[in-house]
């Protein structure tokens, strides 16, 4: 599983960073960036789904690989 | 002043005192009654989309709608686009992005986190000042003695303004947001004189620069040029107005909820880890902020014949209670895990202060329930008037 942030859609609500700081960071402008290449270890899959389900701008997506 | 509303679908007035008192009921009634867009001839023409889908659409559509005016009133904004009177909230693209970008760093999550000890100290101090509490007897006004003082003190410190002026700042907010249905001439004659006040602050900061937002605005540049005086002052107006009533309302509504739902209060005190979700659910269910837009040119919006210069209310709080997007939309679910609420807006104007607002809301509730693990409603709540919805009087009895 991998998470990705669409930076065009991200408006910096920072929900992902609050819910899954292991997977997301924010830059000085509050825009979200995935940590590393976005690979989600199995124990963080639930948190990844939580981040997706709480992004008001539908900016986070999950791909299976 | 307009008279009482005769029909919410065709004569909507958000400044009718009944509106905020019964808002949740009114939105449900209209939405369920097949009226996704309410209308009113008041304010020179006003529309109000009430579903999440339509609110989302207007918020994203900067081509047909301008942010030049975001607070509906009997007049129309005088400052021209693209900046408008209070950048970036009244600015349109592409200028909006410049005005917004320079304010983002001081409000980023990591910068804001540094304010937590100060916010906590402020909350404890307000609780201390309530004096001796006799459980079962003492009634405190959680809106007046607590919620209303938190955001105003924080933003005054951030801007580097004297905190002794807190009452004056609240007067300004009241004027800008709660007197919107008075005739323009009457409003102009009774303004609180915020512009000259801010000019004095600007002069004072030019003479003695320091580490605060006012000095920051005076030093920061767009493409190598300092900001115009109107830009600096407009952003100061915005920061002062945007952060006070909004967060005060969010804190007050959350305490209102807990005073009326002892089961949620009990869960919050026994399971503090719920706070992460509870804060978002308070924001969803009691979102305090409705914004507005002006229609640029005549436009057919899903069959609504909008005319140039009509107002469009953007009730994010109504979007947050739309059953098409939220399960159990009208219920407060303290541990709601999936919560894409729009309390801080949608699209390019997403609340710049959202990290600060969340911090203040969380700490304010944490400290209130830590000091008073049990309390109940002790009389009538008085709700605000206009686009920002929250309790202005909130008597609660402290219990043993
Ligand atoms: C719970 C409290 C708050 C709520 C619910 C809230 C809500 C909102 C909403 C809905 C918008 C979008 C405006 C639009 O679409 O036209 C907004 C914008 C804004 N808010 Fe807040 N706000 C809160 C607290 C604050 C605080 C504490 C500050 C900072 C001092 C602040 C500063 C701003 C600014 C500067 C904008 C304009 C952003 C832009 O236009 O790019 N807000 N807020
Ligand atoms: S929750 Fe969505 S909009 Fe907010 S920072 Fe994360 S990706 Fe961006």
């Amino acid at each position: 599983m991998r998470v990705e942030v669409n930076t065009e859609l991200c408006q910096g609500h920072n929900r992902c960073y609050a819910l899954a700081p292991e997977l997301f960071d924010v830059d000085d402008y509050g825009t979200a960036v995935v940590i590393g290449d976005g690979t989600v270890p199995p124990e963080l899959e639930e948190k990844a789904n939580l981040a997706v389900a709480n992004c008001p701008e539908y900016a986070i997506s999950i791909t299976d690989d | 002043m307009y008279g009482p509303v005769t029909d919410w679908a065709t004569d909507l007035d958000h400044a009718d005192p009944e509106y905020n008192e019964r808002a949740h009921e009114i939105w449900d009634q209209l939405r369920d009654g097949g009226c996704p867009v309410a209308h009113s001839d008041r304010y020179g023409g006003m529309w109000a989309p009430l579903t999440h889908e339509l609110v989302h659409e207007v918020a994203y559509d900067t081509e047909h709608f301008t942010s030049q005016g975001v607070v509906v009133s009997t007049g129309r904004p005088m400052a021209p686009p693209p900046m408008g009177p209070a950048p970036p909230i009244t600015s349109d693209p592409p200028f909006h992005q410049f005005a917004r970008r320079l304010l983002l760093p001081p409000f980023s999550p990591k910068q804001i986190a540094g304010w937590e000890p100060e916010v906590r100290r402020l909350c404890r101090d307000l609780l201390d000042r309530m004096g001796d509490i006799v459980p079962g007897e003492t009634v405190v006004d959680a809106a007046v003695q607590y919620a209303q003082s938190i955001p105003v003190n924080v933003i005054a410190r951030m801007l580097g303004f004297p905190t002794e002026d807190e009452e004056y700042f609240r007067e300004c907010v009241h004027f800008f947001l709660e007197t919107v249905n008075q005739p323009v001439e009457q409003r102009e004659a009774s303004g609180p004189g915020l512009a000259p006040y801010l000019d004095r602050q600007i002069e004072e900061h030019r003479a003695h620069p320091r580490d605060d937002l006012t000095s920051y605005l005076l030093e920061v540049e767009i493409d190598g040029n300092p900001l115009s005086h109107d830009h600096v002052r407009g952003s100061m107006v915005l920061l002062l107005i945007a952060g006070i009533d909004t967060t005060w309302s969010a804190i007050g509504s959350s305490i209102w909820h807990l005073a009326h739902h002892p089961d949620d209060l009990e869960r919050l005190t026994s399971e503090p880890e719920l706070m992460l979700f509870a804060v978002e659910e308070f924001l969803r269910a009691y979102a305090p902020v409705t914004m507005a837009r002006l229609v640029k040119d005549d436009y057919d919006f899903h069959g609504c014949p909008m005319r140039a210069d009509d107002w469009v209310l953007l009730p994010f709080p109504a979007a947050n209670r739309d059953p098409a997007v939220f399960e159990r939309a009208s219920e407060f679910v303290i541990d709601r895990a999936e919560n894409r609420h729009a309390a801080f807006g949608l699209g390019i104007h997403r609340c710049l202060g959202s990290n600060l607002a969340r911090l203040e809301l969380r700490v304010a509730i944490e400290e209130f329930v830590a000091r008073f693990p049990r309390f109940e409603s002790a009389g009538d709540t008085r709700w605000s008037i206009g686009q920002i919805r929250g309790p202005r009087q909130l008597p609660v009895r402290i219990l043993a």
Side-chain angles (χ1 to χ4, degrees), chain B residues 70 88-89 96 100 107 155 238-239 242-243 246-247 250 283 288-289 291 293 316 343-345 348-353 356-357:
Chain B
V70 288
I89 207 167
H96 167 261
R100 177 178 172 87
F107 286 96
I155 197 66
L238 170 58
L239 292 175
T246 50
T247 315
L283 285 165
V289 180
M291 277 291 122
R293 299 290 185 262
F316 296 111
F344 292 115
I348 60 169
H349 291 279
R350 185 272 303 169
C351 178
L352 227 148
L356 176 62

Side-chain angles (χ1 to χ4, degrees), chain A residues 5 9-17 30 32 54-57 59-60:
Chain A
V5 172
L9 288 176
C10 172
Q11 296 292 350
H13 288 257
N14 300 144
R15 300 292 311 283
C16 52
Y17 173 61
N54 281 280
C55 173
E57 310 284 351
I60 309 173

